[in-house]
Amino acid sequence: CKVSHRLSEKTWPESRQEKKISLRLRNSNGSVHPVILPTDPEERQPNAGEYELTEVTSFSDRPEQESDRTEMVVIDCRANAKGQREEDALLENASQSNESDDTSTDQSPVPPVPLKETSFSIGLQVVFPFLLAGFGTVAAGMVLDIVQHWKVFSEVNEVFILVPALLGLKGNLEMTLASRLSTAANIGQMDTAKEMWKMIMGNLALIQVQATVVGFLASIAAVIFGWIPEGHFKMGHAVLLCASSVATAFIASLLLGLIMIGVIVASRKVGINPDNVATPIAASLGDLITLALLAGISTGLYQELDSNDYANPLVCVFFIALTPVWILIARRIPSTREVLYSGWEPVIIAMAISSVGGLILDKTVTDPNFAGMAVFTPVINGVAGNLVAVQASRISTYLHMNGLPISEPNPAPQKCPTPCSTFFGSGVNSRSARVLFLLVAPGHLVFLYTINSMRAGHTTLTYVFIAFYLAAALLQVMILLYLADWMVQWMWKRGMDPDNFSIPYLTALGDLLGTGFLALCFHILWLIGDRDTDVGD
C-alpha cells in the first residue's frame, strides 16, 4: 500500500496548545472524513495487518490528554502486512509543515522524478530526431516541387491553399497528441497497461474527430480564398477539395497517431525524455505522408470528375459519417472528454492562420518567376514547427511535473517574459531555448546542401540566397521560441492546459511567418537580380 501524507502543525489557542494526528480517508463517493491515529507506538501496532482507525467529526470533542500530537493527512490508505513501511511513511518528516498531498495508490505508481538535463544532454537527445525530421521535410519539399506541375495543381490552384493547412495538422493534432502523451508518460499516467490503453484509445479517437472537422473546414477556407480574388468557383472543384482534404487529414492523422504512440512508449522504456523526440519524429514523416497522400488522392479524384459524378461526394460522406463513432469513443475517456468539448478553438484558429499562409504560397508559386519557393516551404516551416513544438512541450511538462497549480481564469496580471529572460536565463527552459536556436543555422545548411546535391528545386544556391534564407529562418525561430515561452505560461496561469492549446497556435504562426518571410526573400532576390528558374527542370 502506498501511504501519502501531509504533515502540518496547527496552532491552537494558548489554553489548548496541541498537535493531533488526523487521517483523512476519501470514500468512493468522494467524501472525506477525519480519523484519529494513536501516537503511542504500542497503540499503533506496527506489525499488525491493519490500523484501527476511529472516525471523528470534530477535533474539539477530543479529551485534553491527546495534546502534543502531529496532524497528518492520509489519503486512500489501505491495510497490508507491511506495517513497518506504513509507520515509516507516516513518521517521515513529521516536523515539516508544507508537504504536498500524494493521491497515488497501488494502482497508480508514483510519478518519476524529473531528469536533470544539461545543455549537452538536451542537444544530444534533440539533434538526431531534429535531423530526421528535417530530412523528412526535405523529402516533402521535393515532393511538392514535383507535384506543383501536376494537372490537378495547375487546374485547381486552390489545392495549394490546402497544403499548409493539412501539413499544419501535424502541429494541430499529432504534435498536440505527442505533447499530451509525453506529459502523461512523464508524470506516471501511462505506467500501467490499463491506463496506457485508455489514453491511447481516447486520444486516437479524438484526433480522428479533429482531423475530419479540420479537413472539412480547410476545404471551405480554400474555396473561399480561391473565390475571393477571381469572383467565381466551380462546384465540382469545391467537392474535389472537400473530398481530398477530409480523406488526407483522416488517413494521415491515423497513421501518424499510431507512430506517435509507439515512439512515446518506446522512449519511456529506454529512458529517453519523450518531449525531446516525439514531436520531431511526428514531423519527420508527417509532412511527407500528408503531402504524398494529398497529391495522390486529389489526382485520383480529379480523374473521376468527368467519368463519375458520385465518387467525390461519396468520399466526403463516408469519412464524415464515421465522426459520431469516434466521438462516442473519445467521450468515454475522461482525459479526452474535456478536449473534445473545449479543444476546438486552437485547432480551428490555427487552421485559419495556416490557410492564410497557403494563400501566400498559392499566389507565389503560381508565378513562374518564384517556382523555386515550393521546395523550400515545407523545410523552413517544418524545422521551425519541430523546434517550437519541442520547446512548448518541455515547458508544459516542466509546469506539470513541478506541481505548479493551474490558476483560475482572470488572474492578477504578472510580468511578461522578455527575450533576454527567454534566451539568456539560468533555468532549464532558457537552456533548451538556446540549444534549439543554435540548431537552426547548421540544420538548414545541411538541408540546403541535401536539396542542392539532389538537384531539386528551381533555385541556384548562391551566397546571397543562403544569407537571406538563413536570416529568415533564424528570425522565424527566434520569434516562435519567445512566443512559446510567453504563451505556455500565459495559458497555464489562466487554467488552460498548454498541451492542448499552445502547439496549434505556434505551428500555425510558424507556417505563416515562414511562408511570408520566404516569399519576401524571393521577391527581394528577384529585385536585386539574384534570379533563375531553370534549375531542376
Side-chain angles (χ1 to χ4, degrees):
C1 136
K2 293 191 180 294
V3 181
S4 58
H5 55 280
R6 181 178 62 204
L7 306 174
S8 63
E9 290 187 5
K10 188 174 290 290
T11 303
W12 299 84
E14 294 182 358
S15 60
R16 281 189 72 182
Q17 290 272 349
E18 60 181 10
K19 303 173 188 174
K20 297 178 184 249
I21 297 181
S22 66
L23 303 187
R24 191 175 64 187
L25 300 184
R26 179 172 297 156
N27 295 338
S28 59
N29 63 359
S31 62
V32 177
H33 299 291
V35 181
I36 295 300
L37 176 67
T39 55
D40 190 336
E42 295 181 359
E43 295 178 9
R44 283 200 196 108
Q45 301 175 351
N47 294 323
E50 59 181 290
Y51 292 116
E52 180 178 355
L53 305 179
T54 304
E55 181 176 343
V56 297
T57 57
S58 68
F59 292 114
S60 59
D61 298 331
R62 301 295 299 171
E64 289 290 332
Q65 63 268 24
E66 293 184 5
S67 60
D68 297 328
R69 292 189 177 183
T70 303
E71 181 179 85
M72 312 174 81
V73 175
V74 179
I75 297 178
D76 288 344
C77 179
R78 298 185 181 181
N80 60 39
K82 300 180 181 178
Q84 187 62 45
R85 179 185 294 179
E86 295 184 357
E87 181 182 13
D88 293 341
L90 288 169
L91 298 177
E92 184 182 2
N93 298 328
S95 63
Q96 298 182 6
S97 62
N98 54 354
E99 287 285 335
S100 60
D101 284 348
D102 180 359
T103 59
S104 62
T105 65
D106 49 354
Q107 283 86 12
S108 299
V110 177
V113 178
L115 300 174
K116 299 294 184 182
E117 294 180 299
T118 63
S119 297
F120 178 77
S121 66
I122 294 172
L124 190 63
Q125 291 187 31
V126 171
V127 65
F128 295 108
F130 168 72
L131 291 175
L132 178 62
F135 287 122
T137 61
V138 169
M142 296 176 65
V143 170
L144 181 60
D145 185 54
I146 294 172
V147 301
Q148 67 173 326
H149 304 293
W150 287 11
K151 188 174 182 180
V152 64
F153 283 85
S154 58
E155 295 293 331
V156 188
N157 292 334
E158 292 81 4
V159 177
F160 281 111
I161 302 177
L162 290 177
V163 171
L166 293 181
L167 295 187
L169 283 178
K170 72 178 186 299
N172 299 345
L173 305 182
E174 280 76 35
M175 286 185 178
T176 303
L177 168 68
S179 181
R180 279 199 305 269
L181 294 182
S182 296
T183 298
N186 277 323
I187 65 178
Q189 293 181 357
M190 294 179 63
D191 288 351
T192 64
K194 182 178 180 180
E195 291 176 333
M196 182 178 69
W197 281 110
K198 285 178 64 178
M199 292 289 292
I200 288 174
M201 294 303 297
N203 280 279
L204 275 180
L206 174 65
I207 65 170
Q208 294 311 114
V209 176
Q210 293 178 323
T212 304
V213 174
V214 170
F216 179 73
L217 295 178
S219 64
I220 295 177
V223 171
I224 294 174
F225 285 144
W227 167 74
I228 290 175
E230 300 178 3
H232 69 277
F233 73 96
K234 298 180 179 179
M235 181 57 68
H237 289 180
V239 178
L240 168 67
L241 290 172
C242 179
S244 302
S245 180
V246 171
T248 301
F250 184 95
I251 298 173
S253 294
L254 179 61
L255 294 176
L256 293 173
L258 293 173
I259 294 173
M260 277 303 87
I261 291 168
V263 168
I264 291 170
V265 173
S267 297
R268 291 298 297 171
K269 289 186 179 298
V270 300
I272 297 177
N273 187 350
D275 285 317
N276 292 336
V277 298
T279 49
I281 292 178
S284 64
L285 297 175
D287 287 347
L288 180 60
I289 290 176
T290 304
L291 195 54
L293 285 172
L294 176 62
I297 292 174
S298 60
T299 298
L301 293 176
Y302 180 76
Q303 294 173 352
E304 296 294 325
L305 275 179
D306 297 330
S307 59
N308 191 342
D309 295 335
Y310 300 102
N312 291 317
L314 285 176
V315 170
C316 291
V317 172
F318 172 74
F319 286 106
I320 293 175
L322 291 176
T323 303
V325 178
W326 305 120
I327 292 176
L328 291 176
I329 296 175
R331 287 182 59 187
R332 296 175 58 186
I333 311 300
S335 60
T336 56
R337 186 185 304 126
E338 180 182 357
V339 183
L340 182 64
Y341 294 143
S342 63
W344 292 102
E345 178 184 344
V347 173
I348 294 174
I349 294 178
M351 180 274 300
I353 296 173
S354 296
S355 296
V356 176
L359 181 61
I360 297 174
L361 177 65
D362 177 32
K363 298 304 177 184
T364 305
V365 298
T366 52
D367 186 340
N369 295 326
F370 306 119
M373 179 179 165
V375 72
F376 300 107
T377 301
V379 178
I380 193 171
N381 292 344
V383 167
N386 301 342
L387 295 178
V388 74
V390 169
Q391 181 69 353
S393 182
R394 288 180 59 88
I395 298 173
S396 178
T397 298
Y398 173 84
L399 295 174
H400 280 92
M401 294 187 70
N402 283 274
L404 300 177
I406 296 183
S407 300
E408 295 296 327
N410 303 318
Q414 299 187 15
K415 186 177 180 181
C416 180
T418 63
C420 290
S421 65
T422 299
F423 293 100
F424 302 106
S426 59
V428 64
N429 294 326
S430 297
R431 196 155 55 238
S432 62
R434 291 193 294 271
V435 171
L436 296 174
F437 182 75
L438 292 175
L439 288 175
V440 176
H444 273 297
L445 289 175
V446 172
F447 304 145
L448 290 176
Y449 176 78
T450 303
I451 292 173
N452 187 60
S453 299
M454 302 185 72
R455 298 194 59 78
H458 302 266
T459 302
T460 303
L461 297 185
T462 63
Y463 290 111
V464 177
F465 173 81
I466 293 175
F468 274 87
Y469 180 86
L470 290 180
L474 289 169
L475 181 60
Q476 175 197 25
V477 174
M478 181 184 296
I479 294 173
L480 291 176
L481 289 176
Y482 170 70
L483 289 176
D485 189 20
W486 167 78
M487 185 178 293
V488 171
Q489 298 190 50
W490 180 86
M491 290 178 173
W492 182 267
K493 293 171 184 175
R494 280 153 181 79
M496 303 160 63
D497 190 347
D499 285 328
N500 299 325
F501 289 89
S502 63
I503 293 180
Y505 287 125
L506 292 169
T507 54
L509 288 171
D511 291 342
L512 179 59
L513 291 174
T515 307
F517 287 162
L518 195 59
L520 183 62
C521 287
F522 271 85
H523 279 85
I524 294 175
L525 290 171
W526 180 263
L527 292 176
I528 66 177
D530 191 89
R531 62 183 76 166
D532 58 340
T533 61
D534 59 334
V535 178
D537 288 345

